[in-house]
Amino acid sequence: MKKMSVEDKLGTNVFHTDEVNSHIDVDKAYPDKEEIMKVVLACPAACYTYENDTLSFSHLGCLECGTCRVLSHGKVVKDWNYPDGTRGVFYRQG
Amino acid sequence: MSDYNAIIVGGGLAGCSAAIVLARAGLDVLVIERGDECGQKNMTGGRLYGHSLEKIIPNFAEEAPIERTVTREKISIMSEGSCLDIGFGSTKLSATPETASYTVLRAKFDKWLAEKAEEAGAEIIPGIRVDRLIVEDGKVVGIDAAGDEITADVVILADGVNSLLARDIGMKKELEPHQVAVGAKEVLKYSEEIINERFGLKAGEGMAWLTMGDPTLGGFGGGLIYTNKDTLSVGVVATLSDIGHGNISVPDMLERFKNHPSIAPYLEGGKLVEYSGHLVPEEGIHMTPELTRDGVLVTGDAAGFCINLGFTVRGMDFAIESGRLAAEAVIRAHSIGDYSKAGLGYYELALKNSFVMRDMDTYKGFPTILTMREVFEDVPAMVDDIATKLFTVDGQAGQGIIMYIVNTLAQKTSARELVDLITKVLEAF
């Protein structure tokens, strides 16, 4: 099968995204690269990217799994909650 | 006087099962669900073993939106470019409702179960996130959602693997990376006929296919394919404590799995209709939280009720049973007017005597095996070597099968390591 980017895969999902408020608070200046790479590699939605020694994060496309929270709570992830009711991803298949 | 007898947080399988049983007994029940409908925040691999739901809704598969009835099992040990399959098809698989298992998609299945709960008399409020539990004098007396407080005699937590609510009141410790795995899954669309032909299935029959080895590059985890009616669920699962082992991202593991030469032909031409991610409890009985306190019970994934044996993965049947037993406990508490931990005592007792705790206890050694490097790195490599030698004829004089195996083992592992591995595996079973 032709390879699809994670972004294109997420494009098939239904999201009612809160464009302004993120339900995850990320410390983009977190100093430990090893910790950063854990969330970069683990996030199924590729919300975390690390390029040129800079961590970027976008909650758009978040699948609300909690992976980054369990891996890095108190480190890269300062605070994590589910999005407000009626916000976030809405699976039609699941 | 409370607003409800019971508030259930989370309209998944545990929550809806509890709601049905409580509503049938005449209790005032409110289910609060984060999604716009029940099921919209949920995802499974996945396969549902039907036995526990049979106790609540006999012959449910006749009306429920199941995808296919599983009659074929397949497990594979994969390495780069190679794949050893073990398949099992039998008319005995799924022969009766009590032994049947079904492929399901949760957005559809949970929505149906929620309708059953409403028919039984439960009230469901969707689109609401519960922010915190209201605790008075050590007793849970209700919930707070965006400042709106609703009270109940008892709250059943069915809020999923993360269960921030159980954590926040100290019933559950923060999850640790070795206790959970992340699953990433694609739902790919085909025609029903193509799936039947490719997997050798009759209409309505399904296959569950679990793999270990290659896509995680030796990391703890594996791949999965479940045949739905006209879609395939294709995914990978990776234990969080081992992320980074092969320096491969979870989305790349999924691509690697899909493009493996033994997997790719099954997937050709599929159209992606959804991409999902979820955490899976993996540590079984070792991660069981406090299950009851005054005015509160914890069920399903929130309680970590799940076992992964490699060839069998169970969580949904545990969720349904724990939801039912929590409801039975609440009915007893209601009849004596005592919703304290003691009054809810039936829940832990019944769980202990049920398959939920008994099976998790039987397989309590399994989580250890699933964190042994040998299982994910050395075993697939040895299997690849031995199978390649067995099936290759190149005109060179061979050594004989036993010597192939002995030599491969000697190259890959020491006798001591091998004995140690076999001992641990035998202990786990």
Side-chain angles (χ1 to χ4, degrees):
Chain A
M1 286 182 69
K2 210 174 127 199
K3 189 173 174 178
M4 279 175 84
S5 69
V6 174
E7 200 179 348
D8 286 344
K9 289 182 187 182
L10 292 168
T12 64
N13 290 358
V14 173
F15 287 99
H16 301 168
T17 309
D18 185 336
E19 308 253 340
V20 184
N21 301 306
S22 172
H23 56 286
I24 306 175
D25 187 8
V26 174
D27 181 359
K28 290 181 193 162
Y30 194 76
D32 185 343
K33 190 186 164 191
E34 204 176 317
E35 282 299 324
I36 289 172
M37 287 316 292
K38 283 185 195 169
V39 292
V40 170
L41 290 174
C43 175
C47 291
Y48 297 83
T49 49
Y50 191 70
E51 276 171 12
N52 304 323
D53 293 334
T54 307
L55 174 65
S56 307
F57 171 78
S58 168
H59 70 285
L60 309 177
C62 173
L63 298 170
E64 303 164 28
C65 63
T67 296
C68 60
R69 186 183 72 79
V70 175
L71 269 178
S72 203
H73 201 183
K75 297 174 197 164
V76 178
V77 177
K78 288 198 281 190
D79 195 25
W80 191 101
N81 203 343
Y82 290 113
D84 288 342
T86 75
R87 294 292 191 179
V89 67
F90 290 84
Y91 294 132
R92 292 153 301 152
Q93 308 287 330
Chain B
M1 185 73 189
S2 302
D3 299 326
Y4 290 89
N5 293 131
I7 291 174
I8 298 167
V9 184
L13 296 178
C16 288
S17 298
I20 292 171
V21 175
L22 287 171
R24 281 180 187 165
L27 274 67
D28 285 332
V29 187
L30 174 66
V31 179
I32 305 180
E33 161 62 33
R34 223 157 50 77
D36 279 345
E37 287 176 338
C38 291
Q40 289 184 331
K41 298 288 185 180
N42 303 345
M43 176 270 235
T44 176
R47 175 231 304 260
L48 168 70
Y49 289 93
H51 60 100
S52 52
L53 190 51
E54 281 296 322
K55 294 178 196 165
I56 303 172
I57 305 173
N59 300 312
F60 70 90
E62 288 174 11
E63 59 165 313
I66 58 141
E67 295 295 321
R68 288 171 182 257
T69 305
V70 177
T71 56
R72 285 187 170 272
E73 307 280 347
K74 191 167 171 181
I75 51 175
S76 299
I77 301 175
M78 298 172 71
S79 31
E80 185 172 5
S82 303
C83 184
L84 176 82
D85 300 331
I86 301 169
F88 182 61
S90 172
T91 51
K92 294 194 272 293
L93 289 174
S94 294
T96 64
E98 289 72 27
T99 60
S101 70
Y102 311 95
T103 54
V104 294
L105 291 164
R106 295 289 298 280
K108 301 172 187 177
F109 194 84
D110 293 16
K111 183 182 173 184
W112 169 80
L113 195 62
E115 285 164 7
K116 291 283 136 189
E118 283 186 309
E119 281 171 24
E123 191 180 333
I124 299 179
I125 304 184
I128 300 287
R129 181 189 72 192
V130 172
D131 296 319
R132 66 178 188 94
L133 297 172
I134 305 168
V135 184
E136 283 175 9
D137 302 327
K139 181 185 185 306
V140 173
V141 295
I143 62 95
D144 178 336
D148 287 336
E149 297 191 349
I150 310 175
T151 59
D153 297 326
V154 67
V155 174
I156 297 177
L157 293 178
D159 53 339
V161 55
N162 285 293
S163 192
L164 304 181
L165 297 175
R167 180 201 65 181
D168 287 348
I169 61 166
M171 290 182 81
K172 178 176 168 140
K173 289 186 197 136
E174 184 62 273
L175 292 169
E176 292 177 36
H178 73 275
Q179 295 179 317
V180 284
V182 54
K185 184 182 89 159
E186 293 182 13
V187 179
L188 298 166
K189 185 143 178 35
Y190 304 83
S191 71
E192 213 174 320
E193 293 71 30
I194 283 181
I195 291 175
N196 294 346
E197 282 168 21
R198 283 191 190 171
F199 291 86
L201 299 165
K202 283 200 276 189
E205 293 186 345
M207 179 189 283
W209 186 359
L210 298 170
T211 80
M212 59 170 288
D214 183 65
T216 57
L217 296 182
F220 308 149
L224 56 90
I225 296 179
Y226 289 93
T227 58
N228 303 314
K229 193 164 190 284
D230 58 1
T231 60
L232 295 177
S233 289
V234 181
V236 291
V237 177
T239 304
L240 292 194
S241 56
D242 212 30
I243 291 291
H245 172 73
N247 200 31
I248 180 172
S249 74
V250 169
D252 283 347
M253 282 180 202
L254 181 50
E255 282 302 313
R256 191 176 167 88
F257 180 60
K258 287 170 58 192
N259 287 298
H260 190 282
S262 293
I263 299 293
Y266 289 95
L267 308 185
E268 196 53 47
K271 180 177 178 287
L272 181 70
V273 290
E274 189 166 272
Y275 178 63
S276 53
H278 211 276
L279 281 182
V280 190
E282 289 267 285
E283 214 197 12
I285 203 161
H286 308 288
M287 64 190 294
T288 308
E290 265 184 72
L291 294 169
T292 51
R293 275 191 189 175
D294 293 349
V296 63
L297 309 97
V298 186
T299 62
D301 270 10
F305 293 150
C306 191
I307 49 175
N308 177 0
L309 304 182
F311 50 93
T312 304
V313 182
R314 294 169 60 184
M316 293 188 283
D317 59 330
F318 287 10
I320 291 165
E321 186 76 354
S322 65
R324 184 179 73 83
L325 295 176
E328 296 288 354
V330 169
I331 293 165
R332 282 169 170 74
H334 180 70
S335 69
I336 55 170
D338 176 7
Y339 293 94
S340 70
K341 183 179 168 71
L344 296 167
Y346 174 83
Y347 180 50
E348 288 193 50
L349 199 66
L351 269 180
K352 201 173 280 181
N353 292 323
S354 75
F355 68 85
V356 176
M357 294 315 246
R358 290 168 79 167
D359 284 351
M360 288 204 301
D361 187 56
T362 299
Y363 297 112
K364 61 175 180 276
F366 247 82
T368 314
I369 295 183
L370 295 180
T371 53
M372 288 173 71
R373 185 68 60 206
E374 299 91 316
V375 172
F376 294 93
E377 214 154 54
D378 302 343
V379 170
M382 284 190 271
V383 163
D384 185 3
D385 272 9
I386 292 167
T388 303
K389 284 173 185 157
L390 283 179
F391 293 115
T392 302
V393 174
D394 59 4
Q396 304 293 313
Q399 297 169 304
I401 292 168
I402 298 298
M403 285 312 290
Y404 284 153
I405 295 172
V406 170
N407 282 342
T408 300
L409 293 179
Q411 279 165 18
K412 300 284 181 192
T413 181
S414 71
R416 190 195 187 88
E417 282 170 351
L418 189 66
V419 169
D420 191 38
L421 175 64
I422 292 170
T423 308
K424 280 183 179 155
V425 170
L426 289 176
E427 275 172 5
F429 277 100

